[in-house]
Amino acid sequence: MRDATEARPHGAVPGARPDAAGAPAPAEPTRLTIPVSGMTCAACQARVQRVLQRTPGVQDAVVSLMTNTATVHFDGAAIAPRELVARIRATGYGAELPREEVGALEAQQALDDAREREFRELRTKALVTLVAGAIAMVVSMPLMEAHAHLGAGVIDPFMRWTTAWISPALRPVAPWLYGVPAPVLSYGLLLLTGGIMLWAGRHFYVRAWRAFRHHAADMSTLIAVGTGAAFVYSAVATLAPGSFLSRGVAPDVYYEAVIIILGFILLGNAFEARAKGRTSAALRKLVDLQPATALVLRDGREQDLPLDAVAAGDLVLVRPGERLPVDGEVESGESAVDESMLTGEPFPVAKAAGARVIGGTINRTGAFRYRATTLGAKSVLAQIVRLMRDAQGSRAPIQNLADRVSAVFVPVVLSLAIATFVVWYVFTPEGTPPLRAFAASVAVLIIACPCAMGLAVPTAVMVATGRGAELGILLKGGEALERSAGIDTVVLDKTGTITEGRPAVSDVEALPPFTGDEVLALVASLEQSSEHPLAGAIVGAARERGLAAGLATSFRSQPGKGILGSVGQRALVVGNDALLRDSGVDVEPLAARAAALAARARTVVFVAIDGRLAGLLAVSDPVKATSRDAIARLHELGLSVVMLTGDVESSAQAIAREVGVDRVVAGVLPAGKVDEIRRLQREGRVVAMVGDGINDAPALAQADVGVAMGTGTDIAIEASDVTLLRGDLRRAAHAILLARRTMRLTRQNLFWALIYNVLGIPIAAGVLYPAFGVLLSPILASAAMAFSSVSVVTNSLRLARTRPA
Amino acid sequence: MNTDDVLVILAGIVAVAAVNWWFFLAGREPKAKRDARRN
């Protein structure tokens, strides 16, 4: 069989599972996740995604603004990963090939480090730029006064206001400044502004230019055009003031606005980088769970080895209070292990020989040795981190709205800015400086940056998935969240979901001449071959009573009904009344007893030996302590709750009454669960199915939202939309509540981001000027823009405080 | 309205047209190429 890893480029994994039959995979798309740096808004992300999607050989590409990655499915024969990276770089953003076999934990660590660096760099640039902006403002005061007597007022309302306040105070403090010739001040400002633009703002101009060449535009375009126009205008006024004066226009310069706008935008970006980092705090907490070294018994000696030196099969020693370094199986010793960080389970879980333990959990009471099983990228912790990273990088369908808007947004804003200039220039009231037209159009460009829109959805998804993980709920990304919010019906599997899923034999009844032990021993012998949950209970009960199990000579299972077979010379039929009736056995003598047991929520199994009714076994599966409360909470959320079970009606009804379920569908064969969900969906219901994730897999897939109740070690996590790491049904209610809050918050975010632009642009264009004389300064516009991004992210962070339902 | 105003209006119309042409029309993937990619 071809080694699936051989043909892969670094860090790539095939999109589909390797073909178990070993057939050569036909043009299977290769998946590659490429870290991309420098993206700040929805338009940036849409642009990188578009370029990748249009690259020949690429089948699909999804770019995430939050995780700063591009996930590309491509034909490895048609295009090399290096070429993909080159394409991204050509758009003006940074990209590099992922490192080989980089684990999810290392990848997250690298991402966090990169984000921290980005934040520090942006912060330094923002602070230096704002200080330079303050200096430029002070230096501009004498210039403005010098120009004022030329008949032109200060055009920027914000500057006019500050001039009125600061200038009188500045004159006594620094009278020398007013003695410096105006051209010297102008040239000084020209150099300062040019320097700041090159040092702190360079990436805006580079990106804007590269985007422009690709017929695309993003936030950088607006900033570059806005500040660039102001700078060019001012430079002409400085270098050739005569051309202005000859037309009766003061050679006003606008340098301080350029610098301050850049400063505010950089400050906004820095806050954004910091807040984005905080949204992944839950993920980082998971990453931090892994200790750096493991105490391993090798060659008869205890050695403290770094984790990457630990191999599967190594014997690992853990002392009380220590964190388990890797996953494994207990060999000797006993202890209680605190798994709350992974499963949300508050009480330590007892572990003895044979028990599975998970790396990252804390050993509480005793010391034990265990054998390392899964390591590195395959470990449970790494898988949870990877799933969460994928979830956080995934896109909610509602995001498409933001993308569609921002793709046409920038060209439309550029057009509006031009129109603003023309209208102001032509209809400017008598006596106003024509430069006001210019200020208004720059303000339009600056206030229209769609950053907040780009952040509205992904920040909410990111915080929600993080908060979910803290509660032991793994949400499979934005789409799962959006669908979970729309659920109106919850279908619960009985066994393992409502009940403990650990059935035990409660009653054994035998009809003479058979004895109870005889019946139990024979049935247990046959059930040894069965994988049914009830079989385990029966075999266990026989073992408890010290009954020797015989060898089954034949065995046939009838799913949903029972089993038939022989043990020694005895022919057995074990199952429900229908199976016995089919075999020509009358269950009437035990019918009343069976009904009484079923009414007490026992599952009754009839036994016929050699064609005669021999007795019955009753199996009880205790209801989880939390189920009743959980179902009440689901009702509080306005959901209707349906219980599906293979049990007989009366036994199912007894459980339903105990936990308060509205509707019971009993006697469902495993395949029937899918049909039942389909039937509900045809009724127009949006259905969530909660099951234990293994035998319910088809039903989980059929449901609009599949909720797997795992134990944290279960790889059935892969098959569901939502995974509850702890077997507590209340978490299902929490998950739905969290999803609803997230969607409400997302809509709020989009609304505010949109309203901000819808109101901001006309105000910047000056529609309020004729009536109220209100005109937005470009400087205030840049501050408002930074504020809007920060407010959207802050709003999303509120989800981190969501209390369980 | 003086000559300057007329010139500014004309320049504005040309600029808006240029912006929209560049971003919406010139940047569009040719249909044949797009179909080829989707198939």
Side-chain angles (χ1 to χ4, degrees):
Chain A
M1 186 173 145
R2 186 175 67 101
D3 185 348
T5 57
E6 256 174 30
R8 287 180 209 157
H10 294 173
V13 287
R17 294 204 172 97
D19 188 344
E28 185 179 85
T30 307
R31 195 182 86 179
L32 183 65
T33 303
I34 306 171
V36 181
S37 55
M39 293 186 296
T40 46
C41 66
C44 310
Q45 167 234 322
R47 194 151 72 76
V48 176
Q49 186 165 306
R50 204 163 49 236
V51 165
L52 285 172
Q53 281 170 345
R54 287 183 183 178
T55 303
V58 170
Q59 284 155 15
D60 189 28
V62 176
V63 176
S64 161
L65 185 60
M66 294 310 295
T67 56
N68 290 328
T69 55
T71 305
V72 192
H73 289 92
F74 64 102
D75 178 1
I79 188 162
R82 205 168 297 282
E83 176 69 13
L84 293 172
V85 169
R87 292 271 175 156
I88 300 174
R89 284 193 184 151
T91 60
Y93 299 94
E96 56 191 73
L97 276 179
R99 279 179 294 139
E100 189 174 6
E101 281 304 308
V102 71
L105 298 174
E106 290 83 4
Q108 182 58 35
Q109 193 61 52
L111 190 69
D112 288 340
D113 291 347
R115 198 169 266 163
E116 184 62 25
R117 266 200 312 278
E118 189 188 5
F119 166 71
R120 282 171 195 279
E121 193 187 321
L122 283 169
R123 187 181 57 183
T124 311
K125 283 184 174 174
L127 292 180
V128 171
T129 305
L130 285 173
V131 168
I135 294 170
M137 207 184 230
V138 169
V139 173
S140 303
M141 301 290 164
L143 264 183
M144 287 177 201
E145 290 197 4
H147 291 156
H149 70 263
L150 292 171
V154 177
I155 45 145
D156 185 317
F158 179 71
M159 284 306 289
R160 200 167 50 223
W161 179 78
T162 41
T163 310
W165 282 90
I166 298 176
S167 212
L170 186 67
R171 197 179 274 279
V173 177
W176 53 270
L177 199 56
Y178 290 79
V180 179
V184 174
L185 292 177
S186 293
Y187 275 96
L189 281 173
L190 172 67
L191 288 178
L192 178 69
T193 312
I196 288 289
M197 285 167 81
L198 277 179
W199 173 68
R202 217 175 94 117
H203 58 285
F204 295 124
Y205 305 104
V206 171
R207 270 181 217 155
W209 173 240
R210 291 196 184 153
F212 179 78
R213 277 199 335 217
H214 286 93
H215 302 279
D218 58 18
M219 172 184 139
S220 303
T221 309
L222 297 178
I223 298 166
V225 173
T227 56
F231 179 73
V232 169
Y233 182 96
S234 309
V236 172
T238 305
L239 299 171
S243 61
F244 281 63
L245 290 168
S246 64
R247 313 188 67 154
V249 178
D252 258 339
V253 289
Y254 223 0
Y255 295 118
E256 73 293 333
V258 174
I259 303 179
I260 295 172
I261 287 168
L262 285 176
F264 275 133
I265 291 168
L266 286 166
L267 193 67
N269 288 356
F271 278 135
E272 219 175 283
R274 170 44 53 98
K276 269 195 207 166
R278 232 179 302 157
T279 59
S280 65
L283 198 53
R284 196 154 44 240
K285 261 188 235 163
L286 279 177
V287 173
D288 289 342
L289 287 180
Q290 189 142 29
T293 60
L295 192 60
V296 175
L297 198 66
R298 240 188 225 177
D299 310 324
R301 286 190 304 123
E302 291 180 10
Q303 304 177 31
D304 214 8
L305 297 178
L307 276 198
D308 49 10
V310 180
D314 271 339
L315 206 52
V316 183
L317 309 175
V318 207
R319 288 179 291 246
E322 282 182 349
R323 228 174 244 288
L324 275 61
V326 295
D327 301 346
E329 205 175 293
V330 178
E331 284 265 320
S332 60
E334 275 180 19
S335 183
V337 174
D338 179 359
E339 296 185 338
S340 58
M341 58 295 293
L342 290 182
T343 62
E345 168 74 52
F347 303 107
V349 182
K351 300 281 180 188
R356 282 188 70 176
V357 288
I358 309 167
T361 55
I362 301 173
N363 179 28
R364 287 286 179 219
T365 50
F368 64 90
R369 294 173 171 197
Y370 72 99
R371 203 156 291 279
T373 51
T374 44
L375 295 159
K378 289 196 183 69
S379 67
V380 171
L381 189 59
Q383 288 200 38
I384 292 177
V385 170
R386 183 176 57 78
L387 276 166
M388 270 188 66
R389 272 168 53 84
D390 289 354
Q392 298 196 328
S394 74
R395 297 157 56 73
I398 196 169
Q399 170 87 48
N400 295 338
L401 172 70
D403 286 359
R404 271 204 303 276
V405 173
S406 60
V408 293
F409 194 70
V410 175
V412 168
V413 168
L414 286 175
S415 307
L416 281 175
I418 296 167
T420 303
F421 180 84
V422 171
V423 171
W424 268 101
Y425 188 89
V426 174
F427 297 104
T428 198
E430 210 52 45
T432 23
L435 221 52
R436 190 160 283 172
F438 189 69
S441 62
V442 170
V444 168
L445 289 171
I446 297 301
I447 203 153
C449 291
C451 327
M453 212 133 64
L455 291 168
V457 182
T459 49
V461 169
M462 190 119 181
V463 178
T465 45
R467 178 64 185 147
E470 283 174 1
L471 295 170
I473 301 164
L474 282 188
L475 294 151
K476 270 272 188 64
E479 198 175 339
L481 262 172
E482 193 165 334
R483 274 185 287 141
S484 304
I487 288 301
D488 57 24
T489 305
V490 179
V491 176
L492 305 171
D493 176 46
K494 193 202 81 176
T495 310
T497 302
I498 296 179
T499 65
E500 293 282 1
R502 283 195 295 272
V505 173
S506 59
D507 306 78
V508 180
E509 306 258 338
L511 291 175
F514 301 100
T515 66
D517 281 359
E518 199 178 354
V519 169
L520 185 60
L522 281 169
V523 174
S525 308
L526 192 62
E527 294 278 11
Q528 273 175 341
S529 315
S530 168
E531 285 170 0
H532 196 275
L534 292 186
I538 293 169
V539 174
R543 201 175 293 144
E544 242 169 55
R545 297 190 188 188
L547 302 173
L551 200 65
T553 46
S554 73
F555 173 86
R556 191 155 55 88
S557 142
Q558 292 218 342
K561 289 185 168 179
I563 52 174
L564 302 102
S566 358
V567 178
Q569 300 301 314
R570 303 278 204 187
L572 265 75
V573 182
V574 180
N576 61 14
D577 52 349
L579 180 71
L580 272 87
R581 228 171 282 129
D582 290 350
S583 313
V585 178
D586 183 16
V587 297
E588 195 48 44
L590 286 172
R593 178 73 185 130
L597 286 167
R600 279 163 45 212
R602 304 284 193 268
T603 304
V604 176
V605 182
F606 293 99
V607 183
I609 300 175
D610 296 330
R612 266 175 67 182
L613 185 66
L616 61 76
L617 305 176
V619 179
S620 72
D621 184 4
V623 168
K624 284 181 190 170
T626 52
S627 293
R628 199 186 158 74
D629 188 22
I631 288 161
R633 288 181 192 197
L634 290 170
H635 282 147
E636 273 169 32
L637 291 172
L639 300 160
S640 61
V641 182
V642 179
M643 182 176 94
L644 283 188
T645 172
D647 281 356
V648 293
E649 183 76 29
S650 50
S651 155
Q653 287 292 356
I655 297 265
R657 270 195 305 278
E658 187 176 341
V659 296
V661 168
D662 319 322
R663 191 166 144 191
V664 177
V665 185
V668 185
L669 301 180
K673 289 185 183 171
V674 175
D675 295 334
E676 185 57 31
I677 288 172
R678 245 186 234 138
R679 205 178 55 71
L680 287 166
Q681 285 170 330
R682 269 199 303 274
E683 282 175 21
R685 292 167 182 265
V686 188
V687 182
M689 164 83 197
V690 189
D692 60 12
I694 306 155
N695 51 7
D696 295 323
L700 290 178
Q702 174 64 39
D704 298 284
V705 176
V707 183
M709 269 194 155
T711 53
T713 58
D714 214 326
I715 302 310
I717 291 171
E718 294 276 358
S720 55
D721 300 303
V722 179
T723 302
L724 310 179
L725 291 178
R726 189 176 153 199
D728 180 347
L729 192 54
R730 285 178 301 188
R731 297 287 186 226
H734 301 170
I736 292 168
L737 184 76
L738 183 64
R740 286 187 181 176
R741 289 201 181 142
T742 308
M743 291 322 292
R744 196 170 59 212
L745 196 125
T746 303
R747 280 189 285 269
Q748 267 173 22
N749 274 352
L750 279 177
F751 173 79
W752 286 115
L754 210 63
I755 274 290
Y756 167 81
N757 277 320
V758 165
L759 294 182
I761 293 174
I763 293 174
V767 290
L768 296 183
Y769 187 77
F772 305 101
V774 174
L775 192 60
L776 193 63
S777 149
I779 295 175
L780 288 182
S782 68
M785 196 202 70
F787 175 75
S788 85
S789 297
V790 172
S791 64
V792 159
V793 177
T794 311
N795 194 29
S796 294
L797 284 171
R798 289 194 307 141
L799 276 175
R801 292 198 305 268
T802 303
R803 293 237 168 272
Chain B
M1 201 176 281
N2 56 30
T3 325
D4 270 7
D5 291 347
V6 175
L7 281 177
V8 165
I9 290 171
L10 286 176
I13 291 170
V14 170
V16 169
V19 162
N20 287 282
W21 171 78
W22 181 258
F23 289 112
F24 290 122
L25 294 177
R28 214 156 63 178
E29 208 178 3
K31 191 177 179 301
K33 197 176 154 203
R34 189 171 59 231
D35 291 346
R37 177 169 58 83
R38 286 188 180 156
N39 298 325

